[in-house]
Amino acid sequence: MAVISNGTTIIDAGAISVGGGKETLIKTATFTNASTVAFIDGTDNVVMDDTYHTYIFKCIDIHGNDDNGRWAFQVNTAGASGFNESCTSNFFNARRNHGDTYSILGAVTGYDQAQGTGYQNISDTGPADGSAERTHAGHLTIFNPSNTTFATQFMAEFSDAMSDDYMIHSYVSGYFDVAAAIDEVSFKSSAGTTSGIIKMYGIGS
Amino acid sequence: MGLISAGTSIFDAGALAAGNAGSLTFIKKLTASSSATLTFVGGASSVILDGTYKEYLFTFNNLHAATRSNFSFQGRDGGTDYDGPIVSTHFGLKHNEGANTYSIGYEGDRDQANTANFQILSNTSHTDDSDGLCGYLRIFNPAGTTYITHFMSEVNCVTNTPTVCSNFCAGYFNTATAINAFQFKFASDEIDSGDICLYGVT
């Protein structure tokens, strides 16, 4: 049975139509010692098309096995191969140590990109097996990736517990300089493998 | 009454079926009335703070103090005291109504280095009756017993200049013990009015 109001389908085929701005859980990926974690439209129940205008990835208990690893992501456009789109970005953070001897707020130019095609850092380094309790947690928002007119913007915020007793609050934003639809997102650590949980949400218009 | 479409329940027994509800599940609202503290205790008064959700969201709606005071929170990692070991950063932006002062910077007196103090989420709020503070606090997997528990907050307030202050705080409870209760308070005054809501993120 379908429910149609004023010509608009509200319920059909066992689902409420997308709309109302609600955040809809699309997929939960739980992984252990993974080299990469990918969300690909049409695969394993992942939706990444114009069904939603905004996509949010919540990263929880992100724990690597290499102290030098930074949590990072890249995207791929529909029909293309490789996670290597041109990215221009800013990266700044607030950082302090456990010993209460160091604190600072500032840009981290080594973690940003200027039309680079590498994975974009969204956290600082660590934590790894040497500090078994430490993790990254945060969220990445990608705006309207299915559009074919504008560059695709993104923003991320992370809390990072580094293995060398530093706490980092990271902010990242930027865009992929491509006017093709983006329908795949890949996460990985810049070094080593990673365990954790990523929850992907879509927000309708 | 339930509603079934194409063999799938849309709603039944007074609730939307999974997948049709939004990702935010309302858990509890506490409304201040000259309250010394507002406290959410898992398992009490319908509060859920366990492994049901991997993320919890607190929203602050026009919290107001009678005298200027920092707004803060702490977590309970066992026992009855709110004294979790916190490592955190805090930075903020300020801009006054006269448009003649502006600043952005690290707030070294509002962070913590593995200490058990209440964590400041916002600097002193204006006492004018029309000025409260608003914002949110996210807690990631507080029920976990393998890793530390991260948090992030953004709180906007008006100070007495009057100046808008945007506060950004993040950090972690440096313990792998479950955090099952959270308490909020102004550092040196009661919470006159306003409310805090708790949501679970599906």
Side-chain angles (χ1 to χ4, degrees):
Chain A
M1 183 187 83
V3 176
I4 300 172
S5 174
N6 199 29
T8 298
T9 299
I10 304 298
I11 299 171
D12 195 17
I16 296 177
S17 299
V18 170
K22 77 174 185 180
E23 199 174 88
T24 300
L25 177 64
I26 296 172
K27 185 176 178 64
T28 298
T30 301
F31 49 94
T32 303
N33 297 325
S35 298
T36 61
V37 182
F39 293 81
I40 298 172
D41 179 51
T43 302
D44 294 332
N45 300 316
V46 170
V47 175
M48 195 167 187
D49 56 19
D50 60 2
T51 302
Y52 304 98
H53 66 73
T54 301
Y55 291 85
I56 299 173
F57 297 87
K58 303 282 184 73
C59 302
I60 301 167
D61 290 346
I62 302 299
H63 181 80
N65 71 346
D66 189 320
D67 276 341
N68 295 314
R70 295 182 296 275
W71 194 230
F73 85 107
Q74 245 291 2
V75 300
N76 186 32
T77 56
S81 61
F83 291 95
N84 53 10
E85 306 303 333
S86 293
C87 177
T88 299
S89 60
N90 290 308
F91 192 117
F92 76 96
N93 62 29
R95 47 201 303 138
R96 68 153 306 116
N97 65 350
H98 287 205
D100 203 15
T101 57
Y102 176 85
S103 59
I104 194 170
L105 171 69
V108 186
T109 55
Y111 292 174
D112 59 10
Q113 295 199 73
Q115 295 296 87
T117 58
Y119 274 65
Q120 173 60 49
N121 298 307
I122 48 179
S123 82
D124 213 307
T125 56
D129 288 345
S131 49
E133 297 177 355
R134 298 195 183 159
T135 57
H136 305 293
H139 50 89
L140 164 69
T141 302
I142 300 178
F143 298 92
N144 200 12
S146 67
N147 94 88
T148 55
T149 304
F150 302 110
T152 295
Q153 310 273 349
F154 64 87
M155 297 178 182
E157 178 186 6
F158 273 75
S159 178
D160 310 317
M162 297 176 71
S163 54
D164 55 355
D165 286 348
Y166 278 76
M167 188 276 144
I168 313 291
H169 188 186
S170 300
Y171 281 85
V172 191
S173 62
Y175 58 88
F176 291 98
D177 194 14
V178 56
I182 290 168
D183 66 350
E184 299 179 3
V185 179
S186 171
F187 294 86
K188 72 173 186 179
S189 176
S190 62
T193 60
T194 309
S195 303
I197 302 166
I198 301 178
K199 298 169 82 77
M200 178 187 186
Y201 300 85
I203 300 177
S205 57
Chain B
M1 185 189 84
L3 177 64
I4 299 173
S5 172
T8 300
S9 291
I10 302 300
F11 59 80
D12 194 16
L16 283 167
N20 289 319
S23 65
L24 288 183
T25 300
F26 174 76
I27 296 174
K28 183 78 175 178
K29 176 180 179 178
L30 295 180
T31 301
S33 178
S34 300
S35 307
T37 60
L38 292 178
T39 305
F40 295 81
V41 178
S45 303
S46 304
V47 171
I48 299 169
L49 278 170
D50 57 19
T52 304
Y53 302 99
K54 292 294 186 188
E55 179 185 355
Y56 290 87
L57 173 70
F58 292 95
T59 61
F60 312 127
N61 179 31
N62 284 326
L63 298 174
H64 184 267
T67 57
R68 296 180 64 210
S69 186
N70 292 326
F71 180 63
S72 61
F73 92 110
Q74 246 294 7
R76 191 181 73 180
D77 59 342
T80 57
D81 295 331
Y82 291 86
D83 58 358
I86 290 177
V87 183
S88 63
T89 61
H90 194 294
F91 69 93
L93 297 86
K94 299 181 176 70
H95 187 209
N96 72 345
E97 291 184 5
N100 51 24
T101 64
Y102 174 82
S103 68
I104 177 172
Y106 193 90
E107 310 271 16
D109 56 345
R110 293 170 192 155
D111 59 5
Q112 292 199 67
N114 224 18
T115 47
N117 301 321
F118 269 67
Q119 174 61 48
I120 296 172
L121 298 178
S122 172
N123 53 345
T124 53
S125 57
H126 197 194
T127 56
D128 187 292
D129 285 343
S130 65
D131 294 332
L133 66 81
C134 297
Y136 64 84
L137 167 68
R138 296 182 185 278
I139 310 280
F140 294 96
N141 199 13
T145 55
T146 303
Y147 300 120
I148 59 175
T149 296
H150 286 272
F151 63 86
M152 296 177 182
S153 69
E154 181 175 352
V155 179
N156 218 40
C157 75
V158 185
T159 62
N160 65 334
T161 315
T163 296
V164 61
C165 296
S166 305
N167 297 271
F168 299 87
C169 181
Y172 48 83
F173 291 92
N174 194 22
T175 173
T177 306
I179 312 289
N180 64 359
F182 293 93
Q183 187 171 85
F184 299 86
K185 68 179 183 180
F186 282 105
S188 57
D189 198 13
E190 297 173 335
I191 306 174
D192 255 359
S193 58
D195 64 66
I196 302 177
C197 291
L198 170 64
Y199 300 85
V201 183
T202 302

